Amino acid sequence: MRQELMSLPKTLAEDVAKNLVMVARLIDEDPDEAYEYSRIALRLASRVAAVREAAGFAAYATQKYTEALAEFRATKRMTGTVDLWPVMADCERGLGRPERAMAMAGEPEVQKLDKAGQVEMRLVAAGARRDMGQIDAAIVTLQSPELASNSVQPWTARLRYAYADALLAAGREDEAREWFAKTIESDKDGSTDASDRLAELEGVEFVDVEDESGEDESDDESDAPLADGPDHDGTDHDTADRDRD
């Protein structure tokens, strides 16, 4: 990215860089704000591929899929690479066109992706199958050497989670329980809510314990209620989110 910005006058390059840094910092915590910074960078340097890519991801994070797809296509034209092919297909899903996403999964570009990109494409294709109500086909799509491997890679937790979730959607609860457990084993960073999903399947209830008496617990410790377990964080388990499918 720095090399691409060197094509700009120094002052302009610095301004663009500052906005791109803010996009990176905010895209997970405040995607709407990140999107605003990306638009500034885009106005300043629309002919820089890295700027178009950043603008695409910011639009994607705010579910502006038409805009995101346009930016990703522009990036692909400017760079000649296919790295963004899976996320482009996912934009088609976001636009309610899973058939187009499935068609993209069969294009020659997929063979040019690295292993991580191919796994990502498989996740998108499985999600598209689910969008079309083809849950059994989604399960088959996710069955792959990467899923069966005991080696933990950056994509392992997400792939196992998607498989477990698809199994559950198909009513195969015992298998789903097994794969949620396998997800937990590979999810060292807690990027999924597999532990919560497994707890729900096991019938574990999380209870918020409050002092209903309204008295200060420190006045009489013997009256303090015992905690039944950790607070439930209320995580939404909506699998329409792209990464999860």
Side-chain angles (χ1 to χ4, degrees):
M1 185 178 293
R2 182 181 295 110
Q3 186 172 359
E4 288 187 34
L5 292 178
M6 288 176 64
S7 64
L8 302 173
K10 182 177 180 181
T11 301
L12 178 58
E14 290 176 352
D15 288 342
V16 174
K18 289 175 182 178
N19 282 283
L20 293 180
V21 167
M22 293 307 297
V23 172
R25 287 181 177 177
L26 294 169
I27 196 164
D28 292 327
E29 298 178 2
D30 191 345
D32 290 324
E33 189 71 12
Y35 174 78
E36 294 303 323
Y37 279 106
S38 76
R39 300 306 297 176
I40 296 172
L42 193 58
R43 286 197 298 269
L44 293 173
S46 62
R47 295 185 179 182
V48 175
V51 172
R52 303 301 291 267
E53 181 176 344
F57 276 110
Y60 178 81
T62 53
Q63 300 183 6
K64 296 178 175 64
Y65 297 118
T66 299
E67 189 174 319
L69 187 56
E71 296 300 339
F72 291 143
R73 284 173 173 167
T75 304
K76 182 176 179 293
R77 287 195 302 270
M78 296 166 77
T79 63
T81 65
V82 297
D83 296 347
L84 296 172
W85 196 253
V87 73
M88 290 169 64
D90 209 32
C91 286
E92 296 287 4
R93 285 187 60 210
L95 291 169
R97 302 190 295 239
E99 297 85 358
R100 292 193 185 184
M102 284 304 306
M104 291 179 68
E107 293 293 332
E109 283 83 352
V110 176
Q111 303 305 316
K112 300 176 184 179
L113 295 169
D114 61 14
K115 180 61 67 176
Q118 290 180 3
V119 171
E120 193 67 32
M121 193 69 240
R122 187 177 293 276
L123 286 166
V124 173
R129 289 291 189 188
R130 293 190 63 171
D131 293 343
M132 294 185 286
Q134 301 173 3
I135 185 61
D136 290 335
I139 291 172
V140 172
T141 298
L142 292 168
Q143 292 170 345
S144 62
E146 293 80 19
L147 179 67
S149 174
N150 291 323
S151 174
V152 176
Q153 302 295 333
W155 59 76
T156 302
R158 293 178 57 243
L159 185 59
R160 290 178 177 179
Y161 183 93
Y163 189 60
D165 191 63
L167 289 169
L168 186 60
R172 295 159 62 174
E173 188 171 306
D174 290 341
E175 293 172 86
R177 186 182 292 108
E178 175 188 351
W179 281 95
F180 277 128
K182 290 182 177 182
T183 301
I184 295 170
E185 293 174 1
S186 59
D187 190 8
K188 304 304 181 182
D189 299 328
S191 60
T192 73
D193 63 350
S195 58
D196 291 341
R197 301 293 299 277
L198 181 60
E200 289 176 1
L201 288 173
E202 298 290 354
V204 176
E205 294 185 6
F206 297 93
V207 180
D208 260 339
V209 180
E210 298 180 356
D211 181 16
E212 297 181 357
S213 67
E215 297 177 356
D216 187 351
E217 293 181 3
S218 62
D219 291 340
D220 186 357
E221 294 183 0
S222 65
D223 292 335
L226 297 176
D228 290 337
D231 291 344
H232 191 349
D233 65 5
T235 302
D236 183 4
H237 306 313
D238 185 357
T239 56
D241 187 89
R242 307 295 165 232
D243 288 358
R244 286 46 81 202
D245 292 348

